């Protein structure tokens, strides 16, 4: 069976999320709502939707998402029962009415080829208006190839094999930023992701969520840096030499853009020199000198 886990904190769009669950054409799912000590009590909405689908609500007395969003995800997952598959749905995102139906229609094939399922998606704004075209994907695609394709991705559009989640867990990057992308790579064993293009997840971008806010760019930058550094230093065996060079290039650009600490400079330098990338390292150093020179001239 499918468990839909909702780490709840924001009330504003939550009814739209609940309504989309009510509208599912296939009701073979159970919802687990983990309230992260939110100041916005959702009890009126939960009473309104009681009996319309199967759900469990639990309020945590201590806020955890403010310090570790991934740990909040994991304690919400721990509320679930014996379901084999987990969707972690944002409290402001919306499922197309046939998402669950499409999942079960493809489940036998999914079990044979992948631990990660991805639905088609599109971005919506605070009013529910589409902000992007619909993102479709190859039916079966290497998670590594998907990552380097650079297509947008968000946690709500995936279903993961629960056993993989419990075995590997989520990496705790700042704001949970890039943690979902790493989950796709690791939970799939850096192998295939199965895509369902006939069902759609609507991912909301607003000034109330992490993706839409602009006051957290420094934390996002740090997460981006740490994510790519983790891949290059801990998971390098899954990448070709060309892909590793691209990871290193992204790390270097992130360092230059975000003025990282001196210790991180030495970390990057070690990677360049250990891989005998002398010419690339020279270009990296040259970029640093240019930035310093430009600052002196300002």
């Amino acid at each position: 069976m499918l468990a839909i886990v909702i780490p709840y904190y924001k009330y504003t769009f939550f009814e739209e999320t609940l309504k989309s669950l009510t509208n599912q054409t296939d009701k073979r799912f159970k919802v687990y709502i983990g309230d992260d000590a939110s100041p916005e009590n959702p009890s009126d909405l939960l009473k309104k939707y009681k009996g319309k689908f199967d759900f469990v609500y639990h309020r945590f007395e201590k806020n955890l998402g403010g310090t570790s969003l991934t740990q909040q995800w994991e304690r919400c997952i721990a509320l679930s029962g014996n379901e084999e598959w987990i969707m972690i749905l944002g409290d402001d995102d919306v499922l197309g009415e046939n998402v669950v139906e499409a999942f079960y229609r493809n489940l036998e094939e999914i079990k044979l080829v992948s631990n990660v399922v991805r639905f088609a998606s599109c971005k919506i704004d605070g009013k529910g208006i589409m902000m992007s075209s619909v993102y479709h994907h190859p039916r079966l695609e290497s998670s590594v190839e998907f990552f380097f394709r650079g297509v947008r991705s968000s946690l709500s559009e995936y279903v993961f094999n629960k056993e993989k989640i419990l075995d590997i867990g989520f990496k705790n990057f700042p704001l949970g930023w890039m943690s979902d992308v790493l989950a796709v790579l690791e939970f799939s064993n850096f192998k295939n992701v199965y895509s369902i293009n006939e069902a759609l997840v609507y991912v909301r971008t607003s000034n109330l969520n992490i993706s839409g806010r602009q006051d957290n760019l420094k934390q996002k930058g740090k997460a981006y840096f740490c994510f790519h550094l983790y891949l290059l230093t801990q998971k390098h065996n899954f990448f070709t030499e060309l892909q590793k060079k691209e990871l290193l290039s992204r790390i270097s650009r992130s360092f230059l853009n975000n003025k990282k600490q001196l210790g991180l400079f030495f970390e990057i330098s070690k990677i360049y020199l250990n891989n005998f990338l002398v010419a690339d390292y020279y270009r990296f150093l040259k970029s640093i000198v240019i930035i310093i020179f430009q600052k002196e001239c300002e």
Side-chain angles (χ1 to χ4, degrees):
M1 191 172 175
L2 173 65
I4 299 178
V5 173
I6 304 178
Y8 170 79
Y9 191 76
K10 302 182 301 297
Y11 185 95
T12 306
F13 304 111
F14 190 42
E15 183 164 14
E16 295 302 310
T17 303
L18 296 177
K19 189 182 298 182
S20 75
L21 295 170
T22 299
N23 292 337
Q24 290 303 299
T25 54
D26 190 327
K27 294 296 196 296
R28 287 179 290 171
F29 62 91
K30 187 168 183 176
V31 177
Y32 298 87
I33 303 168
D35 185 333
D36 194 17
S38 172
E40 301 177 342
N41 192 325
S43 59
D44 60 329
L45 290 179
L46 298 179
K47 288 179 183 178
K48 181 178 179 179
Y49 286 88
K50 185 177 181 179
K52 296 188 176 181
F53 56 88
D54 190 6
F55 71 83
V56 170
Y57 169 77
H58 178 81
R59 179 176 172 84
F60 298 105
E61 294 307 314
K62 180 181 178 181
N63 178 269
L64 188 56
T67 54
S68 175
L69 193 57
T70 56
Q71 289 180 31
Q72 163 64 355
W73 297 344
E74 290 176 341
R75 73 174 178 177
C76 290
I77 290 169
L79 297 173
S80 65
N82 59 358
E83 296 88 358
E84 296 180 21
W85 297 88
I86 300 282
M87 168 183 277
I88 305 173
L89 181 62
D91 61 7
D92 55 358
D93 294 333
V94 175
L95 300 184
E97 64 180 17
N98 66 329
V99 164
V100 176
E101 178 186 343
F103 171 74
Y104 281 110
R105 185 166 57 245
N106 291 278
L107 184 55
E108 291 307 311
E109 184 179 359
I110 291 167
K111 289 179 178 179
L112 296 175
V113 295
S114 184
N115 297 311
V116 178
V117 181
R118 171 181 56 199
F119 292 95
S121 65
C122 73
K123 295 194 293 184
I124 58 174
D125 64 14
K127 296 180 179 180
I129 298 172
M130 290 177 60
M131 300 171 59
S132 72
S133 57
V134 175
Y135 296 89
H136 294 107
H137 310 283
R139 191 73 163 179
L140 203 61
E141 180 181 28
S142 159
S143 58
V144 173
E145 291 180 4
F146 167 68
F147 167 60
F148 282 105
R149 253 198 320 130
V151 181
R152 61 147 304 280
S153 176
S154 64
L155 190 61
S156 292
E157 65 203 62
Y158 291 94
V159 174
F160 301 113
N161 181 286
K162 184 177 180 179
E163 184 178 338
K164 283 294 178 183
I165 297 177
L166 297 180
D167 182 47
I168 298 171
F170 290 94
K171 188 73 174 175
N172 189 25
F173 298 127
L175 302 176
W177 196 250
M178 308 305 297
S179 299
D180 55 341
V181 179
L182 182 60
V184 173
L185 291 165
E186 292 193 315
F187 297 167
S188 68
N189 298 319
F190 291 82
K191 294 179 182 178
N192 288 328
V193 174
Y194 186 95
S195 292
I196 298 176
N197 289 308
E198 61 267 29
L200 185 59
V201 175
Y202 299 86
V203 180
R204 196 179 304 273
T205 298
S206 76
N207 59 8
L208 297 179
N209 61 28
I210 291 171
S211 298
R213 288 170 55 182
Q214 297 298 307
D215 60 351
N216 55 15
L217 296 180
K218 185 176 180 180
Q219 291 169 287
K220 288 178 181 176
K222 181 179 179 181
Y224 181 89
F225 180 93
C226 293
F227 163 73
H228 286 88
L229 186 63
Y230 174 80
L231 289 181
L232 190 57
T233 56
Q234 305 297 317
K235 302 294 179 179
H236 56 88
N237 290 338
F238 292 103
F239 303 105
T240 66
E241 291 303 315
L242 186 61
Q243 288 169 341
K244 284 187 276 191
K245 288 191 72 172
E246 171 60 22
L247 289 174
L248 183 54
S249 176
R250 293 183 186 186
I251 291 170
S252 301
R253 291 197 299 270
S254 177
F255 175 87
L256 295 171
N257 291 337
N258 293 282
K259 304 177 182 64
K260 296 294 174 180
Q261 303 172 23
L262 187 61
L264 298 181
F265 165 76
F266 289 118
E267 188 75 34
I268 297 172
S269 298
K270 184 169 65 175
I271 296 171
Y272 275 113
L273 298 177
N274 285 348
N275 290 278
F276 305 104
L277 300 171
V278 178
D280 294 296
Y281 185 53
Y282 171 76
R283 284 191 288 271
F284 172 61
L285 294 177
K286 184 178 178 181
S287 298
I288 294 176
V289 171
I290 291 173
I291 287 175
I292 293 173
F293 178 75
Q294 287 175 337
K295 287 183 66 176
E296 291 295 324
C297 292
E298 288 179 354

